[in-house]
Amino acid sequence: KKMKKLILALTLLLSFNSLTISAQNSEEAKALLEDVYNKVKSYDNIHVDFKYVLNNSEAGINQETRGDVTLQGDKYLGNFFGATQLYDGSKVYTIVPENEEVTIEDKSNDENALTPAKMLTFYREGHNYEMDILQNVNGRKIQFVKLTPIDTNSEIKNILLGIDAETKHIYKVIETGKNGTTTTITVNTFKTDQTLSKTLFTFDEAKYKSDGYYIIKN
């Protein structure tokens, strides 16, 4: 009986220690993400040049592109997959030169979609956090944080967020879907507080019309 009680006591103690470590791990991860967010918010604007890879080996999908996005507050201007997307604070403009068309719509309804414009702030809510591996990438220490959606119905299995431990800038985002699709965004350059044109986030409808673009308003 004493032996059973001792084993039970040890089991409970080990469980408690593991819960404490897990809670500390979660708090440490949350604190690191808050540092990242505060750093992002301290800049007037951010320009990111990135590589975007969408992969699903079972479905035989492997799409790769390079792109860039400039962010200032809620506004952004991004170039990827041969299109330009502009958000002026109220509407999203998607410009596709190949088709000579522009689609204008209210802000995207898909709040869960991981876009390059959202990659710097999406992690603040709706996830559980835990510290993951620390990786050495060309002399830079990249600390990964694992994010798991709180919503069990989410199509996302988990997200790995790689953070430069020194600059607190996001270096990589790896999103794994429950359907086996992996989306990876790797930051090549991260520039801050650039001199931006005053009309950078302004859509010039007259210019596109005169260039023969078809304007679709949703």
Side-chain angles (χ1 to χ4, degrees), residues 3 17 55 62 68 71 76 78 82 84 96 113 124 131 135 137 140 148 154 158 188 192 202:
M3 195 63 165
N17 280 347
N55 182 272
N62 190 57
D68 65 85
L71 305 106
Y76 65 81
T84 296
V96 185
R124 283 202 93 212
M131 296 294 265
Q135 218 173 42
V137 180
R140 294 163 68 192
T148 309
S154 172
N158 60 57
N188 296 318
T192 61
T202 305

Side-chain angles (χ1 to χ4, degrees), residues 86 93 199 202-210 215:
L86 167 69
Y93 306 85
T199 58
T202 305
F203 178 70
D204 189 346
E205 189 170 333
K207 175 190 173 294
Y208 284 98
K209 276 183 175 175
S210 68
I215 313 285

Side-chain angles (χ1 to χ4, degrees), residues 6-210:
L6 181 63
I7 289 167
L8 181 62
L10 284 171
T11 307
L12 287 170
L13 186 65
L14 287 169
S15 302
F16 181 72
N17 280 347
S18 125
L19 283 170
T20 307
I21 290 163
S22 174
Q24 284 172 347
N25 182 319
S26 174
E27 285 305 311
E28 193 182 347
K30 198 171 182 179
L32 176 58
L33 292 179
E34 202 57 25
D35 284 348
V36 173
Y37 181 77
N38 289 333
K39 199 73 184 281
V40 164
K41 287 297 174 186
S42 72
Y43 301 121
D44 176 63
N45 61 68
I46 297 170
H47 178 82
V48 176
D49 183 272
F50 61 88
K51 180 183 173 185
Y52 180 101
V53 179
L54 184 75
N55 182 272
N56 186 320
S57 49
E58 279 187 25
I61 298 166
N62 190 57
Q63 297 175 327
E64 217 172 283
T65 190
R66 288 187 73 138
D68 65 85
V69 64
T70 302
L71 305 106
Q72 186 172 47
D74 289 336
K75 299 174 183 179
Y76 65 81
L77 177 69
N79 300 288
F80 37 94
F81 286 122
T84 296
Q85 194 167 78
L86 167 69
Y87 177 55
D88 62 5
S90 63
K91 292 191 181 294
V92 177
Y93 306 85
T94 305
I95 303 148
V96 185
E98 192 181 344
N99 301 342
E100 289 194 337
E101 69 178 33
V102 179
T103 305
I104 305 173
E105 54 198 328
D106 290 328
K107 196 175 179 184
S108 173
N109 293 323
D110 188 2
E111 293 298 324
N112 297 318
L114 177 58
T115 64
K118 282 174 64 180
M119 68 173 280
L120 302 178
T121 56
F122 75 91
Y123 49 80
R124 283 202 93 212
E125 51 192 46
H127 302 93
N128 290 316
Y129 315 109
E130 62 180 288
M131 296 294 265
D132 207 88
I133 62 166
L134 179 67
Q135 218 173 42
N136 192 312
V137 180
N138 300 325
R140 294 163 68 192
K141 287 183 178 176
I142 306 298
Q143 174 65 60
F144 281 87
V145 174
K146 189 175 186 178
L147 285 72
T148 309
I150 293 168
D151 179 7
T152 52
N153 293 321
S154 172
E155 291 176 13
I156 299 165
K157 185 180 175 185
N158 60 57
I159 299 169
L160 283 168
L161 197 60
I163 297 153
D164 186 311
E166 188 181 342
T167 63
K168 300 293 191 291
H169 291 166
I170 291 173
Y171 166 70
K172 187 173 277 194
V173 184
I174 306 166
E175 178 188 285
T176 303
K178 287 176 180 172
N179 64 355
T181 299
T182 303
T183 306
T184 306
I185 299 173
T186 307
V187 173
N188 296 318
T189 60
F190 192 109
K191 294 177 184 176
T192 61
D193 298 338
Q194 302 292 290
T195 303
L196 304 180
S197 158
K198 287 179 181 176
T199 58
L200 186 67
F201 303 108
T202 305
F203 178 70
D204 189 346
E205 189 170 333
K207 175 190 173 294
Y208 284 98
K209 276 183 175 175
S210 68

